[in-house]
Amino acid sequence: MNKEQRAKNKEERIAAMLPEEKAREKIDKQLKSAGWDVVVRNEYVPGSTSAIKEALMQGNTESDYLLFVDNKAIAVVEAKREENPLASDVQAQAEAYCENPQSWYGTWFPERIPLAYLANGKRIYFKNLLQPDSGYAELTEMHTPKKMLQLIGQVSDYGALPRLEKRGLRDCQYRAETAFEKAIKTGEKKSLAVLATGSGKTYLACLASYRLLNYTAVKRVLFLVDRNNLARQTESEFNTFNRTEGQQEMSSLYEIRRLKTKEDSKADIVISTIQKLYAVLTGQAVAEDSEDSEDERITAEEEMEDSAAVQLGKDLKLPPDYFQLIIVDECHRSIYGKWKAVLDYFKDAHILGLTATPTPEAFAFFNKKVVENYTYEASVVDGVNVPPRVYRIQTKVTEHGGTIQAGAAVKETAKNTNRTNDITVKDRVEYSPAELDRSVVNRQQIRKVLEAYKDAIYAELYPERENRWEYVPKTLIFAKDDHHATTIVEAVREVFSPVFAPCGVPDNFVKKITYTAGDSNALIRELRTEKEFRIAVTVTLVATGTDVKPLEIVLFMKDVHSDVLYTQMKGRGCRSITDELLREVTPNADTKECYYIVDAVGVTEHEKFMPRPVAGGKSITYLSLEQVLEHLAHNEVTDENLWSLCNYCATITRRYEHDRLFGRHLELFIRDFGFSPRKIANNIQQAFEAETLPDFISASQDNTERMALIHELIGNVPARKKLLEMQRGYVVTTEEESDQILYAGFSKESAKTFIENFEKYLEENKDTIEALRIIYNSQDTLITRSMLQELRDRLLAESRQYSARQIWKNYKTLDETGNVEELDIKANLHALTHLIQIVRYAYKKNQKLSSLITGYAQRFSLYCGQAQRVLTEEQKDVMQQVAQYVIQDGALTPAELNVVDTDLWRRGIRNFGVAGLAEEMQSLARFLLKAA
């Protein structure tokens, strides 16, 4: 039924309604707009803000509407037709109901209902019966539950929460919010919403925050993010959220701050990482690192599994009831293990977890109270996200490692200062794939990967697009560290330079988004909107939560072992985008039906681990080595700081003791400074084991014995700088060792899984989809355009990946015998007849997969030259044009031809007659669409 027909039916239904029914429909709408659930009496749900229609009253009478808050009757609404003036007789009727409620109804006051309303669809009158001398006042709109509670001087924990209007919300957001509110009304403290990337988690958080701040006793909300760049993004979304009463922006109603100092914690809505919250809670100064640098450091630490859990101590700066609602975004990392004690401290708060990638620990923390589970697969079906496709690049060095020969000249770079030295390798050094780009940069390997990626863009990934290098698909490359990212940017410029000759690669074509690259937020905005910025290279700053909808390729030059982090990283490319918005930043694009994971490290081919909870330990201070050294230099020789230095020194020693490339730095340290990092670690460990150290009281006291343990290091600034340099590490760059491509093509593993699922669908639906039934049973029945349209729509409804182009690509990837021809995407991208050939091939009716369009002109000539027929030149011309429709979209009738090409239909009728045209078109279609 089309829109016009539905509108007409609605008008007819309204016209047939009685005057009382018309008024009731308008009053229902007024109540719903004010936040009331309008229900019949046997559908009332405890705890809801409901308006019960025709509620049973004393004496077997019924009030038109009886309104409940917190299971207590709060108001009567007497409804009349529009013509009724709502005079004294109606007032008396409403007040009689208010004075005589059923004994089994809960009431706010003994045996009375305090508020009376009169309505006829055009006017609303109201009286507060707690003020008997007052008269009826006219209203412009129905009172909300919150307003009614204010009128009667009562409060309620959750009774003022109005009905949630679904308009403008995704189904998953609406379900999550209603289930969350239901959970908190029933006393649940923890709720987990599992929502696929791109489905609007932050908007849901804004909605939940506003509703609880505005309608409940919640006074302060904490929103925890797992990265600072997401905190900035979240702050902007909270500020501009306007699904509020009067459509005011949230920033005009509540104070919203990102947590940087304790003063910021006084805001109504506090946005923070858990690390900053921990610092403020325990009275520490918030780290002064750049936020981008802090984000990259945190990500690196999370990939390690041996972090000790924090303990809070006793002198805490915020009370446990300070926050009444805590929303934890991407709670898979911050909730469990190391930081669990922080959230456990705020034990009375309601906690809502939001994640796309839940872990077993997250489920356990939330007591398996899942209020919504909206999967990535469901989001693809709904068009929120697009599916991935894997393109694999393998080089000899990437797969097997490499060798630096004795005597080779290499460049060594200190990662923390970028200071370089030209050195000669004394002994032959073999390095593993894991060491590539962390300790050894092979520029040849990087160039080979990028050349394979470049060559694939318009040849294999987007062959249908016009070959315009200034508009290559927006690409995000994941590097191992900042130095690796710099090297990749340089290599991108080298690899793309020939296609931009003689002018050179445009300045903004490729950029880093790392902690050393400047304002990461501004760079991400540019990647999202600027045409000139095509390739971004990052380490982790764009790894989680960042929305870049035009992004179409995610290139992994860094392996990832955490399943959670991997899902987040690849998910940067999955957001859907309209064709028009895509073309605004990628003018040669047609549509975004999938995104590509270009895997240059095997990240798609190995099992990932789920983060495990960590064991408890000593209370630790979350300081970098640089911060520990600074604190110790100022006489803050606490147990925590000494143990931190001990651990850093021991780790550095283990790392360099037997390192063939960089072990000389440990030798240089001992030679130049006369002691080793191991000695400092041993001093500290032995002192604590002997239990002879005096207690640390403050940095203002005499701490001579404690300082003596570390004075050799702390009193020697060059030694401290060298230790920091060693802790950050080194990388050598070699230009000499060659590399070669072993494989560049679509992933056979993912293609195999794709085809298995596709063929399973065909098998399961061979009797229910007409085109499949005809082909499967080899019936001599023409496959029509409408049949193919149905097949196409059913396939895409099952999965947006099941376009003819994607199916064909996957068959081509698995083809090892030359049975699948290359599909001419540019010329025949949308031909429905590709589906005929795909299904014939899948059902093993054809041994080869080839397009019916290929060579169809020759088949048309054979059709014209069949024995016992003579076609005039005019008839041939008509049928040749008909053939172009048939070969693209399947058989069609004269009536369908009239719809798609009226002029051609008229010519056909003139040349063949009505019956003759139908017979000729059927004969032509049978000839052209036969199995090729």
Side-chain angles (χ1 to χ4, degrees):
M1 186 184 297
N2 60 32
K3 185 177 180 181
E4 292 76 13
Q5 186 61 49
R6 287 196 298 271
K8 182 179 178 182
N9 290 350
K10 182 178 180 181
E11 289 174 4
E12 292 174 350
R13 180 177 60 80
I14 293 173
M17 291 171 64
L18 296 173
E20 291 84 355
E21 293 174 325
K22 291 179 181 179
R24 287 290 185 94
E25 189 168 85
K26 292 179 179 179
I27 296 167
D28 284 356
K29 188 175 180 180
Q30 290 166 345
L31 286 164
K32 289 175 182 177
S33 295
W36 297 93
D37 272 317
V38 179
V39 298
V40 296
R41 69 175 73 149
N42 61 357
E43 293 179 3
Y44 171 74
V45 176
S48 60
T49 48
S50 292
I52 299 177
K53 300 173 76 166
E54 298 175 351
L56 192 63
M57 308 301 286
Q58 290 282 14
N60 206 28
T61 59
E62 293 177 346
S63 64
D64 293 322
Y65 299 90
L66 183 59
L67 277 54
F68 283 82
V69 171
D70 267 0
N71 302 318
K72 301 172 187 175
I74 195 170
V76 164
V77 179
E78 188 60 25
K80 300 299 179 184
R81 67 171 66 187
E82 283 189 5
E83 296 78 13
N84 192 302
L86 304 177
S88 58
D89 58 327
V90 181
Q91 298 170 12
Q93 188 177 5
E95 291 176 25
Y97 288 140
C98 288
E99 293 299 326
N100 199 21
Q102 290 281 6
S103 61
W104 42 273
Y105 288 155
T107 55
W108 288 94
F109 300 95
E111 298 182 0
R112 66 187 306 195
I113 298 170
L115 304 176
Y117 294 80
L118 319 175
N120 63 10
K122 292 176 66 177
R123 289 186 168 82
I124 304 171
Y125 294 99
F126 146 75
K127 182 177 181 179
N128 186 345
L129 300 180
L130 300 178
Q131 301 168 355
D133 295 334
S134 64
Y136 279 84
E138 186 170 1
L139 305 176
T140 57
E141 59 187 6
M142 186 62 70
H143 284 150
T144 64
K146 177 181 176 180
K147 180 63 176 177
M148 289 190 188
L149 283 169
Q150 291 172 345
L151 288 168
I152 65 172
Q154 298 292 322
V155 294
S156 165
D157 286 340
Y158 306 109
L161 270 169
R163 168 183 175 270
L164 178 61
E165 185 70 46
K166 187 175 183 296
R167 177 183 47 82
L169 296 176
R170 290 195 175 110
D171 290 345
C172 61
Q173 293 170 320
Y174 178 77
R175 291 192 301 264
E177 179 63 19
T178 52
F180 169 60
E181 291 180 6
K182 181 179 179 182
I184 62 176
K185 286 178 180 179
T186 56
E188 296 282 352
K189 286 294 185 183
K190 297 177 180 179
S191 301
L192 178 63
V194 180
L195 297 168
T197 296
S199 57
K201 294 192 293 293
T202 307
Y203 190 88
L204 172 63
C206 295
L207 178 66
S209 299
Y210 169 72
R211 284 175 63 82
L212 266 63
L213 282 168
N214 191 45
Y215 298 114
T216 75
V218 168
K219 301 297 182 188
R220 185 173 287 112
V221 175
L222 170 66
F223 187 94
L224 284 174
V225 294
D226 70 341
R227 294 295 181 270
N228 288 295
N229 70 320
L230 298 183
R232 296 189 289 267
Q233 188 174 301
T234 299
E235 181 182 28
S236 175
E237 289 196 49
F238 266 88
N239 280 332
T240 57
F241 178 82
N242 64 356
R243 191 186 173 100
T244 63
E245 292 180 7
Q247 287 70 57
Q248 293 175 274
E249 289 189 345
M250 189 104 90
S251 57
S252 68
L253 301 173
Y254 301 103
E255 185 179 14
I256 304 166
R257 286 196 192 180
R258 284 196 294 127
L259 186 64
K260 297 176 183 176
T261 67
K262 185 181 178 183
E263 189 66 22
D264 296 326
S265 67
K266 297 177 182 178
D268 301 305
I269 299 172
V270 180
I271 302 167
S272 176
T273 62
I274 201 157
Q275 290 84 2
K276 282 186 167 65
L277 175 64
Y278 171 76
V280 169
L281 180 60
T282 55
Q284 299 175 35
V286 175
E288 296 181 2
D289 297 356
S290 78
E291 290 188 333
D292 290 345
S293 174
E294 181 185 354
D295 283 348
E296 292 201 355
R297 174 174 56 80
I298 290 169
T299 301
E301 289 170 352
E302 283 176 350
E303 291 187 279
M304 301 167 60
E305 298 183 74
D306 57 353
S307 300
V310 298
Q311 294 184 355
L312 298 181
K314 296 179 180 178
D315 184 20
L316 301 178
K317 307 305 178 183
L318 300 174
D321 61 352
Y322 195 71
F323 301 106
Q324 295 79 49
L325 172 64
I326 299 175
I327 302 176
V328 190
D329 190 27
E330 297 307 342
C331 56
H332 45 76
R333 281 193 282 276
S334 52
I335 263 308
Y336 59 82
K338 181 170 185 173
W339 303 103
K340 184 173 180 292
V342 179
L343 285 181
D344 286 344
Y345 174 73
F346 299 105
K347 59 183 184 302
D348 294 327
H350 292 288
I351 303 180
L352 172 61
L354 306 174
T355 183
T357 49
T359 62
E361 291 72 31
F363 283 122
F365 179 87
F366 286 99
N367 304 316
K368 298 183 179 179
K369 181 64 179 179
V370 179
V371 294
E372 174 61 13
N373 188 13
Y374 185 62
T375 64
Y376 173 71
E377 291 74 20
S379 75
V380 170
V381 171
D382 291 345
V384 173
N385 289 315
V386 297
R389 185 135 195 251
V390 178
Y391 188 88
R392 185 72 166 94
I393 299 173
Q394 295 172 299
T395 78
K396 183 178 178 181
V397 172
T398 310
E399 296 300 304
H400 305 298
T403 304
I404 302 176
Q405 300 296 338
V410 298
K411 188 182 293 292
E412 180 187 78
T413 304
K415 292 182 180 179
N416 72 327
T417 63
N418 285 325
R419 180 177 54 82
T420 62
N421 286 316
D422 293 321
I423 62 173
T424 301
V425 177
K426 292 181 179 179
D427 301 312
R428 182 173 183 269
V429 176
E430 294 183 357
Y431 57 90
S432 69
E435 293 174 284
L436 185 66
D437 299 316
R438 293 196 187 279
S439 301
V440 180
V441 171
N442 183 328
R443 290 187 183 273
Q444 286 278 1
Q445 178 266 338
I446 292 173
R447 280 194 288 267
K448 286 292 182 184
V449 168
L450 293 173
E451 284 168 359
Y453 150 72
K454 178 182 78 71
D455 293 344
I457 290 174
Y458 290 124
E460 297 181 82
L461 305 183
Y462 298 96
E464 74 282 2
R465 292 189 184 178
E466 182 184 358
N467 190 327
R468 298 179 65 181
W469 293 106
E470 71 272 27
Y471 297 132
V472 298
K474 291 268 187 179
T475 299
L476 179 65
I477 302 176
F478 283 111
K480 292 181 179 177
D481 55 33
D482 186 62
H483 182 271
H484 187 211
T486 300
T487 308
I488 291 171
V489 169
E490 294 169 355
V492 168
R493 292 192 168 278
E494 291 176 26
V495 167
F496 281 85
S497 180
V499 300
F500 286 105
C503 300
V505 177
D507 290 343
N508 294 327
F509 183 75
V510 56
K511 297 181 187 178
K512 279 197 315 181
I513 304 180
T514 67
Y515 73 96
T516 64
D519 186 345
S520 63
N521 265 13
L523 287 166
I524 290 168
R525 281 196 302 273
E526 289 177 21
L527 178 62
R528 189 181 293 129
T529 61
E530 296 298 323
K531 291 180 183 178
E532 293 79 12
F533 188 4
R534 306 312 302 176
I535 300 173
V537 186
T538 192
V539 179
T540 56
L541 289 185
V542 198
T544 63
T546 307
D547 183 4
V548 186
K549 290 182 178 181
L551 192 64
E552 296 185 271
I553 297 176
V554 179
L555 170 51
F556 281 88
M557 296 182 74
K558 163 189 178 175
D559 201 0
V560 183
H561 296 282
S562 162
D563 186 64
V564 167
L565 183 57
Y566 172 62
T567 301
Q568 290 290 314
M569 291 166 74
K570 69 179 181 178
R572 296 314 95 216
C574 73
R575 307 294 179 91
S576 63
I577 184 172
T578 65
D579 296 347
E580 294 75 15
L581 290 177
L582 178 61
R583 282 192 288 271
E584 284 183 12
V585 292
T586 307
N588 61 335
D590 178 27
T591 190
K592 183 179 177 180
E593 66 176 18
C594 72
Y595 74 99
Y596 290 101
I597 297 172
V598 179
D599 179 5
V601 290
V603 69
T604 61
E605 297 175 351
H606 64 74
E607 293 294 321
K608 314 292 186 299
F609 71 83
M610 274 291 194
R612 297 196 298 269
V614 294
K618 294 181 289 292
S619 174
I620 66 169
T621 304
Y622 195 69
L623 296 177
S624 66
L625 174 58
E626 185 174 15
Q627 292 167 329
V628 168
L629 292 173
E630 184 179 7
H631 284 233
L632 290 170
H634 286 282
N635 205 32
E636 191 190 43
V637 280
T638 62
D639 289 1
E640 292 86 355
N641 287 344
L642 288 174
W643 274 117
S644 292
L645 180 60
C646 175
N647 291 334
Y648 279 123
C649 287
T651 300
I652 290 169
T653 300
R654 287 195 303 271
R655 186 168 156 192
Y656 285 91
E657 272 184 323
H658 306 294
D659 191 297
R660 293 159 298 169
L661 271 176
F662 307 118
R664 65 189 180 85
H665 287 284
L666 183 58
E667 297 168 6
L668 288 172
F669 187 99
I670 296 169
R671 186 199 69 189
D672 291 347
F673 306 120
F675 67 96
S676 68
R678 183 190 296 279
K679 180 183 178 184
I680 301 298
N682 287 342
N683 288 348
I684 296 169
Q685 183 177 4
Q686 290 167 9
F688 277 107
E689 287 178 353
E691 299 181 352
T692 57
L693 284 178
D695 291 339
F696 175 81
I697 299 173
S698 79
S700 302
Q701 303 297 315
D702 181 8
N703 295 306
T704 303
E705 289 185 51
R706 286 175 170 259
M707 186 60 77
L709 300 174
I710 59 174
H711 181 71
E712 282 180 297
L713 176 64
I714 298 301
N716 190 327
V717 172
R720 283 155 53 181
K721 289 183 176 179
K722 183 64 177 178
L723 190 69
L724 287 168
E725 180 182 289
M726 292 170 66
Q727 193 246 353
R728 188 80 171 89
Y730 307 87
V731 61
V732 295
T733 303
T734 173
E735 296 276 2
E736 297 181 6
E737 190 190 356
S738 63
D739 196 8
Q740 64 186 72
I741 295 291
L742 299 179
Y743 177 78
F746 289 105
S747 165
K748 293 185 182 295
E749 281 300 312
S750 60
K752 182 180 177 183
T753 302
F754 180 100
I755 292 301
E756 286 174 352
N757 291 334
F758 169 67
E759 292 185 349
K760 180 182 178 184
Y761 178 82
L762 295 188
E763 179 64 26
E764 290 174 348
N765 290 275
K766 64 181 184 293
D767 297 322
T768 60
I769 300 176
E770 192 171 8
L772 297 185
R773 179 178 55 77
I774 291 169
I775 297 172
Y776 183 82
N777 294 306
S778 302
Q779 293 177 349
D780 186 22
T781 304
L782 277 176
I783 298 176
T784 66
R785 183 177 182 224
S786 59
M787 292 179 192
L788 292 177
Q789 287 173 331
E790 181 206 10
L791 175 58
R792 176 199 61 196
D793 294 345
R794 291 281 295 274
L795 286 171
L796 292 175
E798 175 67 17
S799 170
R800 290 187 70 196
Q801 290 181 284
Y802 289 167
S803 66
R805 175 194 173 194
Q806 292 294 344
I807 299 166
W808 201 297
K809 273 188 177 183
N810 280 281
Y811 272 122
K812 183 62 179 173
T813 299
L814 297 177
D815 178 41
E816 296 179 349
T817 58
N819 286 332
V820 180
E821 73 173 21
E822 288 287 351
L823 188 62
D824 186 355
I825 297 295
K826 289 187 177 180
N828 307 302
L829 177 60
H830 301 296
L832 289 172
T833 54
H834 293 329
L835 293 174
I836 297 176
Q837 296 298 83
I838 286 170
V839 174
R840 284 172 175 165
Y841 187 71
Y843 282 150
K844 307 297 188 291
K845 305 296 181 179
N846 286 1
Q847 295 305 307
K848 292 181 178 293
L849 178 53
S850 57
S851 172
L852 285 169
I853 298 171
T854 304
Y856 98 92
Q858 183 179 5
R859 294 207 302 282
F860 179 75
S861 296
L862 291 173
Y863 158 78
C864 292
Q866 291 179 92
Q868 316 243 329
R869 58 186 288 105
V870 178
L871 294 178
T872 68
E873 289 305 312
E874 175 70 9
Q875 287 175 325
K876 285 182 182 179
D877 185 61
V878 168
M879 295 315 295
Q880 186 172 31
Q881 292 184 55
V882 171
Q884 291 173 6
Y885 287 109
V886 172
I887 205 67
Q888 282 280 332
D889 295 334
L892 69 167
T893 65
E896 289 170 327
L897 180 62
N898 186 16
V899 173
V900 298
D901 193 334
T902 302
D903 289 342
L904 183 60
W905 170 77
R906 286 173 179 157
R907 288 180 62 200
I909 295 295
R910 281 199 307 269
N911 279 276
F912 292 98
V914 175
L917 178 61
E919 182 179 345
E920 199 68 38
M921 287 177 62
Q922 189 174 67
S923 175
L924 174 67
R926 196 177 300 280
F927 197 90
L928 292 180
L929 300 180
K930 66 183 179 181

